[in-house]
Amino acid sequence: MNRTSPQRQPSRSGVILSMELVLVLPIFLLLLFAIVEFSLLSAARTRISDAAHVGARRLCLSDTGPQGIRDEVKLMLGEKLYKDATIEVAGSQKPGERINVRILVPMKNATPDLMWPTGFSVRGRMLVADASMVREHDTISVDQQRL
């Protein structure tokens, strides 16, 4: 009896793996880009909020003028976030008056626009931080603070 060996069929596992990769890779990349972009936006938002708070506190406790506050906020934000940013300083020198520092930074300064293919683009959007305080006493000059 002469037996013929059955013909061996080529393995299809390579095709199946590449098909899985084609289906899963876009979803994985989308998730990865979303995590990166939202992390960068969150870090920038925290930095901008801290800068507004420090600016309001400095304005509340010292006789530094609005331009000095803007310069201090600029240092806190750094060159990249400060580009095209708007810093609004409002308040009076009288005790009991409200002081407000508002910072508006374009989102494009904080993150690359990774999510634009999904319809979420940072173009034309702003990160906004407000810090309000009440001046409780007369201001202390900057020279007196250093002593």
Side-chain angles (χ1 to χ4, degrees):
M1 208 178 212
N2 192 4
R3 287 188 166 174
T4 59
S5 63
Q7 287 186 346
R8 193 169 177 174
Q9 296 205 349
S11 172
R12 301 193 81 195
S13 64
V15 174
I16 292 171
L17 288 177
S18 62
M19 186 56 127
E20 288 175 356
L21 180 66
V22 167
L23 293 173
V24 172
L25 187 63
I27 297 168
F28 176 73
L29 288 177
L30 179 70
L31 182 63
L32 181 67
F33 288 167
I35 290 170
V36 168
E37 186 155 328
F38 291 126
S39 296
L40 290 171
L41 286 172
S42 178
R45 171 77 170 127
T46 301
R47 200 160 155 196
I48 293 165
S49 294
D50 288 346
H53 182 77
V54 166
R57 182 168 170 75
R58 172 68 86 174
L59 188 61
C60 186
L61 295 177
S62 72
D63 60 354
T64 305
Q67 188 56 44
I69 300 301
R70 287 185 186 94
D71 292 341
E72 189 163 337
V73 167
K74 178 182 179 180
L75 287 174
M76 288 197 69
L77 291 178
E79 192 173 314
K80 187 174 181 183
L81 281 178
Y82 183 72
K83 182 183 172 190
D84 301 326
T86 304
I87 302 169
E88 301 168 0
V89 179
S92 73
Q93 298 293 334
K94 297 178 188 174
E97 294 290 322
R98 182 174 290 271
I99 294 169
N100 188 40
V101 176
R102 180 180 176 99
I103 303 174
L104 293 96
V105 176
M107 281 187 181
K108 67 179 177 66
N109 293 0
T111 182
D113 201 2
L114 299 174
M115 297 297 292
W116 68 266
T118 65
F120 178 80
S121 178
V122 298
R123 282 187 220 136
R125 295 181 184 214
M126 303 290 271
L127 290 169
V128 180
D130 277 311
S132 294
M133 292 188 180
V134 175
R135 186 181 302 266
E136 295 184 11
H137 52 77
D138 288 333
T139 58
I140 302 169
S141 70
V142 175
D143 293 331
Q144 288 175 343
Q145 284 181 350
R146 291 185 184 149
L147 295 177

